[in-house]
Amino acid sequence: MSLFVRIFTLNAVGLTVAAALLLGPVTVSTPVLPGEALVVLGGLAVLLAVNVLVLRVGLAPLGRLGRAMAGADLLRPGARAVVSGPVETAELITTYNTMLDRLEAERAASAARALSAQEGERHRIARELHDEVGQTLTAVLLQLKRVADRAPEDLREELGQAQEATRAGLEEIRHIARRLRPGVLDELGLLSALRSLATEFTTHGLTVRHDVHAGLPPLTEETELVLYRVAQEALTNTARHAGADRAELRLRPLGDGVELLVRDNGRGLGTAAVEGAGITGMRERALLIGATLTVQSPSGAWAAGGAEKRSFGAGRPATGGAGTDVRLRVTAQAGPAPAAPPLGVDR
């Protein structure tokens, strides 16, 4: 029964009873006697109570819908409002759920196109840095060497400093090009790329251990690229913001898919309610392949025993923080949104 019919029926019954009493033998004295006033007030109270009950039951699904709409997040898909209540309310909730399905699909497709263009641009810039800027600096370095060989003794030290600065700039450009487009991922595969990534982020202040299992189920190129980019972004956040001295990079089979875990012993996520661009980017990449991304501070994981503790190190983190876990779970059949081009296409 629709909410309109319920309210109309209730009011119609109340008005009909009131009219029948007015036209019938029932009379009200003047002044009104206490018993008569009690009967009138009792009838009014019953009518109002039934109205409240009908409205509360009928409008409760709208309240739940409002809370679902307020908490909706396209980066965390899957949550839907429960379809219940009168016909009109149920139709409204169904329409909202359908709209949310369409918005999530459109966002995933648009994000896939944007990230595909981004990967293509990364590839182009990396190639230009390596082929053009890198070759130019190499030529400058060789020219400086020839000049230094013919220069007077008092100028050779300065020319040597210029050579070292040019060599350092050339190495930095190569490093940037590798980060923009990981050639090791294309040439040696995901496992070698992740091991290389862990080695790259191991510095004097941060030690990154890797535990990458062989025998993974077949993964698409898009899935491998997303796994690599999420690991890269998570380690970048660890190195820049976490204040950690230890981190771990894991990739292991899990059921019919794989699980990527990047854990550090830094200060944790804190109380910030708004996620940064890095975490948002990881969530968008996870959506492209239908993966599940969780980012949390497992405060008890460091003190707990078991395999987690043995593989990463005993005790609480040296920094005194809660640490951060970035966990990406993806099925082997995952792939990009159907309407999106493959990631990494060079346009």
Side-chain angles (χ1 to χ4, degrees):
M1 183 184 298
S2 68
L3 183 61
F4 169 78
V5 172
R6 293 181 184 182
I7 297 176
F8 176 78
T9 302
L10 175 63
N11 284 279
V13 169
L15 292 175
T16 301
V17 172
L21 292 176
L22 290 176
L23 298 176
V26 178
T27 59
V28 179
S29 304
T30 304
V32 179
L33 298 176
E36 295 172 343
L38 186 61
V39 171
V40 173
L41 292 176
L44 179 61
V46 170
L47 183 61
L48 292 176
V50 175
N51 265 284
V52 168
L53 180 62
V54 171
L55 291 175
R56 179 175 293 277
V57 172
L59 298 179
L62 292 179
R64 291 193 294 269
L65 175 62
R67 290 188 293 273
M69 295 174 69
D73 187 353
L74 296 181
L75 292 178
R76 298 175 176 84
R80 295 292 182 268
V82 178
V83 179
S84 61
V87 177
E88 298 94 335
T89 306
E91 290 179 353
L92 178 62
I93 297 174
T94 301
T95 302
Y96 166 74
N97 289 340
T98 303
M99 180 191 68
L100 207 56
D101 291 338
R102 185 173 66 252
L103 288 176
E104 288 180 357
E106 292 175 355
R107 181 185 177 91
S110 62
R113 288 190 292 268
L115 290 176
S116 176
Q118 183 185 81
E119 289 295 335
E121 191 67 10
R122 281 172 177 258
H123 196 181
R124 184 186 66 80
I125 294 174
R127 185 174 61 247
E128 291 182 358
L129 285 174
H130 183 273
D131 296 344
E132 298 181 13
V133 181
Q135 291 180 5
T136 300
L137 287 180
T138 301
V140 170
L141 191 60
L142 295 175
Q143 185 67 23
L144 284 173
K145 185 179 184 306
R146 286 195 295 268
V147 173
D149 292 339
R150 300 194 302 267
E153 189 67 30
D154 56 341
L155 293 178
R156 289 185 178 180
E157 182 178 355
E158 295 183 7
L159 287 171
Q161 294 175 355
Q163 284 180 284
E164 290 302 319
T166 304
R167 188 175 290 109
L170 179 60
E171 185 60 31
E172 182 64 22
I173 285 177
R174 289 172 177 170
H175 175 71
I176 293 173
R178 285 195 301 268
R179 295 201 64 190
L180 284 173
R181 183 65 183 181
V184 66
L185 181 62
D186 297 329
E187 297 167 3
L188 301 179
L190 178 63
L191 302 184
S192 297
L194 292 178
R195 294 189 186 102
S196 175
L197 191 65
T199 302
E200 176 185 341
F201 276 91
T202 297
T203 62
H204 296 293
L206 177 65
T207 300
V208 181
R209 300 179 182 177
H210 61 79
D211 182 15
V212 180
H213 290 263
L216 299 176
L219 302 173
T220 64
E221 293 183 2
E222 292 78 15
T223 300
E224 290 187 351
L225 183 58
V226 169
L227 287 167
Y228 180 86
R229 288 300 188 198
V230 169
Q232 185 183 51
E233 183 63 38
L235 288 175
T236 299
N237 288 343
T238 295
R240 292 181 180 176
H241 310 299
D245 61 6
R246 288 179 294 156
E248 182 182 22
L249 172 62
R250 278 200 225 157
L251 181 67
R252 60 176 182 173
L254 184 67
D256 60 346
V258 297
E259 179 185 72
L260 173 72
L261 173 65
V262 179
R263 167 174 291 178
D264 64 59
N265 68 338
R267 62 178 59 95
L269 297 175
T271 57
V274 180
E275 294 181 345
I279 296 179
T280 300
M282 288 190 287
R283 292 196 185 281
E284 289 181 343
R285 290 183 182 276
L287 286 178
L288 300 182
I289 58 173
T292 302
L293 179 78
T294 57
V295 182
Q296 59 185 358
S297 293
S299 57
W302 296 95
E308 296 280 342
K309 175 179 171 182
R310 290 194 299 272
S311 65
F312 195 73
R316 294 196 61 79
T319 56
T324 302
D325 276 8
V326 177
R327 195 182 302 268
L328 181 69
R329 293 180 177 176
V330 54
T331 59
Q333 295 79 16
L343 293 182
V345 174
D346 189 11
R347 294 181 178 275

